[in-house]
Amino acid sequence: MEVEAVHQVAPLDVCLNIWARWNALGDYQITSGEGNQQDTKEFMQAGEAIEVMINSLSRMQWWAVRKSKGICTAWIFKDVHFADALAEAEAILEPKLRKHVATRRHFD
């Protein structure tokens, strides 16, 4: 009997993936009336909340989060390693995401 490995996505990554999808929608979101309206509402609220949290980061950390999700492609801070800046940003974001009403359910 083979057991398939289950890949568990970290709650922080779930939230950042939601934010990246929300960010990609931009002003081009078209709702066709399909799907659960509550899910859409929760997705939009989470995306907006995460955007506010990311915008409160230092410019270097802000850029690192965006680069990690493919929104920015170049790393412009030559004196700082990208991985270090991203780790700092994640350390700041995770406690905020755990507490916020729109994102805390991903951490349970």
Side-chain angles (χ1 to χ4, degrees):
M1 171 187 241
E2 279 188 46
V3 178
E4 290 185 33
V6 176
H7 179 63
Q8 191 77 9
V9 179
L12 176 65
D13 291 331
V14 170
C15 289
L16 291 179
N17 289 339
I18 288 169
W19 168 77
R21 283 185 20 240
W22 174 85
N23 197 50
L25 287 175
D27 294 331
Y28 303 106
Q29 182 182 11
I30 300 171
T31 54
S32 62
E34 297 174 14
N36 185 326
Q37 287 183 340
Q38 185 62 31
D39 289 344
T40 302
K41 180 180 175 183
E42 289 174 4
F43 169 77
M44 295 303 289
Q45 289 172 339
E48 290 169 1
I50 297 165
E51 175 76 0
V52 169
M53 291 178 211
I54 290 172
N55 285 341
S56 73
L57 297 171
S58 73
R59 186 55 54 192
M60 178 182 55
Q61 295 160 347
W62 178 91
W63 200 279
V65 172
R66 281 172 163 64
K67 179 170 173 35
S68 74
K69 294 301 174 186
I71 296 168
C72 296
T73 55
W75 181 244
I76 63 171
F77 302 94
K78 297 181 189 301
D79 296 337
V80 180
H81 291 285
F82 164 69
D84 293 340
L86 182 59
E88 291 172 7
E90 289 174 344
I92 293 168
L93 288 173
E94 187 165 353
K96 292 179 179 184
L97 293 167
R98 284 182 180 277
K99 293 177 185 176
H100 197 280
V101 68
T103 56
R104 65 181 173 212
R105 69 185 179 100
H106 299 292
F107 290 88
D108 292 335

